[in-house]
Amino acid sequence: MLRTLLFCLLGLIFSDQAELEAGDWKVGMARVDITPTKKIWLGGYASRKKPAEGTTHPLWAKTLVFEDQQGNRAAIVTTDLIGLTRELSDAVGKRVAQKTGITREQILLNCSHTHSSPVVRGCAALAYDLSLAHQKDVDEYAKQLEDNLVKVIVQASQTLSEASLSYGEERATFAINRRGRINPDGPVDHTVPVLRINDAAGNMRAVLFGYACHNTTIALFEYCGDYAGFAQVALEKKYPGTMALFMLGCGGDANPEPRGTLALAEQHGNSLAKAVERAVEQPLEPIQGPLTVKMKRTDLPFVDPPSKTELIKQQGKGDVYSQRLTKYLLNQLEQQGAIASSYPFSVQVIEFGDDLTLIGLGGETVIDYSIRLHEELSDRRIWVAGYCNEVFAYVPSERVLKEGGYEGGGAMKYFGFHGPFKPGMEDRIIQLVHSLVTP
């Protein structure tokens, strides 16, 4: 609350300056409808046994391309998807670099993790029992998705025009820690970070906002952006001509509360939209350059894998997902000669001068990372996003790893890893972030 009040006061001081400095930035924007043309399998809930049956509202990929006065560029892509894989994100980056010169490291792709979006090939692949026909639909969609993501970034890069940026924060309160199903005493972050993009005339053209909460209000058999989708719809209705983009925070261990109906998803979306409205309708803090983008990976080791003998003994044991994992690991041993011993975790940092540092973490990151980074980087304004560039597994903190459970390692079987991670992973990630942030 104190931090939000400070931003308001600073905004009052510098609001006139923001209008005068539209030339500090050029921003391009574009969107593309990524709703499947076919009714294919929905991602997120392994219990689903049939494809989508309809569409509540379209699913979108939306892009902002930023360019500072020195010509440095960065692209932020938000998607109404369950997740992306490293292979898909890197393929998009390679093609975009060839077409625009924007490198892979300069592109941040975030997924809202709505559980009412299509299965993305390779993302939690062991969670679904797809027929050959359904797998073919998923494969075809993956090709279309790659093309659409390349398209939306290229289009945004071709629409650069003078703009000004400003930042503020508000609150929404429907997220609750879900460790142990519902944990009202568990850590949660109700902050709603908001980046406003104005054109040279001072009119709002886009608003990028975030929240740290799973998009799991509903489990319908329809394509839908869940609460994040409804929030974007509400904001674009409220502000005609403005593109609203949602970026998921470190919501790996948070759920909407209450949940279970489409009406509740719309209620939470409207609540989040109102928070964004409150932010953009007050004076905000100007964001200036220069723009700096860095991206790097660090290996997160798994515990020692089972031997081939142990895997053979495990065949046919446990639930269907454990059985799939056993079969998958045996095939990995046969084809590659070894089981993966670690995963290359990605951290991406986009610095808007000294005014805002956006930290993008891969995987289903729990809230402890955002809390710790805000404490350790308290001398700067930061925005921490999870679900960036790939959703490869849950990323537990040391606390959650020690406690175990679903986010602590139990869910790794759906992603094809024997897991859990070894202790020490939190420090490795935090240290990598510190190494990428400008001193």
Side-chain angles (χ1 to χ4, degrees), residues 93-140:
K94 182 177 180 180
R95 291 174 59 184
V96 169
Q98 293 170 345
K99 291 176 177 290
T100 69
I102 301 173
T103 67
R104 169 68 191 94
E105 292 74 17
Q106 293 172 306
I107 302 169
L108 185 152
L109 299 108
N110 182 270
C111 298
S112 74
H113 198 56
T114 171
H115 284 40
S116 295
S117 63
V119 168
V120 174
R121 183 178 61 194
C123 186
L126 301 191
Y128 315 107
D129 185 19
L130 302 179
S131 67
L132 290 177
H134 288 140
Q135 185 62 57
K136 182 181 178 182
D137 289 340
V138 169
D139 292 343
E140 289 177 353

Side-chain angles (χ1 to χ4, degrees), residues 311-318 323 326:
L311 287 171
I312 291 173
K313 290 180 180 179
Q314 290 174 13
Q315 290 184 102
K317 297 180 180 179
Q323 293 176 39
T326 298

Side-chain angles (χ1 to χ4, degrees), residues 246-305:
F246 172 82
M247 187 158 59
L248 185 58
C250 297
D253 52 349
N255 269 345
E257 179 63 27
R259 58 199 285 254
T261 68
L262 190 64
L264 286 170
E266 187 169 10
Q267 173 185 309
H268 295 324
N270 288 337
S271 173
L272 181 56
K274 288 294 184 184
V276 177
E277 288 177 30
R278 292 194 300 271
V280 299
E281 290 178 2
Q282 65 186 5
L284 301 177
E285 173 73 1
I287 301 299
Q288 300 172 334
L291 187 66
T292 305
V293 187
K294 299 175 185 176
M295 186 177 183
K296 196 172 182 180
R297 298 182 183 273
T298 184
D299 286 335
L300 301 181
F302 303 125
V303 296
D304 293 340

Side-chain angles (χ1 to χ4, degrees), residues 20 37 40 69 85 88 99 108 122 149 203 217 236 251 256 263 266 278 296 335-336 367 413 421 435:
L20 296 173
T37 55
I40 67 176
Q69 290 182 320
T85 64
L88 178 56
K99 291 176 177 290
L108 185 152
L149 291 175
N203 301 310
T217 316
E236 292 181 357
E266 187 169 10
R278 292 194 300 271
K296 196 172 182 180
Q335 296 173 9
Q336 302 177 20
I367 196 60
K413 59 188 176 183
F421 290 104
S435 73

